[in-house]
Amino acid sequence: MPNNDFRRLRGSRSPAEFAAAVRRAAREIGEQVACDARYIGRVEAGEIRCPNYAYERVFLYMFPGLTLADLGFSARETVRGRGARTTTTPSHSDEESDVLRRAFMTSGTATMAAASLGLGTAPGASAAAHPPAPAALPGTPRRVGEAEVSAVEDAVRQIRLLDDRHGADGLYKRAAQPLRTAYALLDASTTSRRAMADRLHTGAGELALSVGWLAHDSGRFDDARSHYAEALATARVAGDPALEAHAFSNSAFLARDTGRPREAVRAAQAGQRAAQHVASPRLLSLLTLREAGGWAGLGDRAGCEQALVRAKFQFERGTADADPEWMSFFGEAELEGLEAQCWSALGDWARAARHARRAAALQDPHFTRNLALYSAELADDLARAGAPDEAAAVGQGVLDLLEEVQSARVRTMLSETTRVLLPHRRSPSVAPFLTRHANTSRSSA
């Protein structure tokens, strides 16, 4: 049935305008949602009977005093078989949950959060470099409840939010303690509720993948491989195909980045087998793009093109209720960006540049790190395609973004671009970029 209640709340705003308002509200409360006009349309058509927890918090923030039922949604337990969380008037247990969540986050990411989100010292300042000693966590409880599981889930969201805005370099070490705590809960605690145990396993596995990604993006590849393997083992123990597919996706990406393209193909294909148990075409699309990247690394143009066709077919099937929350970054911009990387690996620089340009143009500015990544890819492709002046101009934009983003991967890509541009160092457009890059590299050393 159409969700007429939600449609009335949108009022005279277009779906695109309302989606923009949803994204703004999410940023105000530190949430991360990839809301677009298509999502609003699916809600109003009744295809999304109950939003995920991130959207729930955003909608209740936008319309204070209303419940999910007032917004036209069904009760969560009738849709996904899980009991609903309390998100309205705080109770004693809610307050206790908040205390535990703050303590959990303080042990790893809260100090960085305060600095990065403007609540304290700006990123890179001395206070961020020398944070206060972490607060002690409460003793590990004998029985896991809502407060502990929510703390793990919120740690995952907080890490992803900060990484999207600021990159991984300043976050990795701070995120290690919450991960250790999550696995301590798994090892030392028991719960009589299967749903709670499943959430804890999934939360711990997703946290391992988030921390592994921070290691990956900051060039700590051995650490990343270890964290990804830990997440995969957790997925297998819990029988969680969505978590397993996520672990294989990250493992395939890491294998490609570390020069093991055949392993990237195998991991991506294993992820696709796991994803067959998840009703998410977008998840299959991403895993097929990982496979395409592996074929490109092997120099197999035909294999790469076939995988790209399959990936686009799955992508065009649209979003689904089963889409994992961590895939909020995966839209048209990421699709274009990953295809650009494939053509770049195959040496087709002009074609790669066209896709990288589209990726940068389509990217939501909220995902600052990805915008820097796509722009760095574009600069490198342009330089190799014989457009040094344009490459230098794009590179200047990447340096602007690197004042906010800390990503070893982006810096490495930009350094490669400067080497390609060295023969053009006398150009009035290229010389200022090379000089600025050199000065920036020396100051960050």
Side-chain angles (χ1 to χ4, degrees), residues 183 186 200-210 227 230-231 234-235 243:
Y183 276 94
L186 277 179
L200 181 59
H201 273 89
T202 298
E206 290 292 347
L207 191 54
L209 289 171
S210 293
H227 289 309
E230 187 173 39
T234 302
L243 180 60

Side-chain angles (χ1 to χ4, degrees), residues 13 55 122 132 220 358 406 411:
R13 290 174 287 185
Y55 275 106
R220 300 173 173 92
R358 289 178 198 153
Q406 301 176 43
R411 290 199 306 273

Side-chain angles (χ1 to χ4, degrees), residues 103 150 153 157 196 222 236 293-294 310 329 366-367 373 392 433:
S150 292
E153 293 171 341
R157 294 188 183 100
M196 192 70 69
D222 289 340
R236 293 279 176 80
R310 298 200 313 273
F329 74 96
H366 171 69
F367 294 92
L373 177 66
F433 165 64

Side-chain angles (χ1 to χ4, degrees), residues 179 183 186 201-202 204-210 212 224-252 263 266-268 270-275 287:
L179 178 60
Y183 276 94
L186 277 179
H201 273 89
T202 298
E206 290 292 347
L207 191 54
L209 289 171
S210 293
R225 177 183 282 267
S226 175
H227 289 309
Y228 293 165
E230 187 173 39
L232 180 58
T234 302
R236 293 279 176 80
V237 167
D240 187 334
L243 180 60
E244 183 176 344
H246 189 184
F248 275 125
S249 174
N250 283 26
S251 297
E263 181 182 328
R266 290 197 296 266
Q272 290 169 58
R273 290 193 292 271
L287 286 159

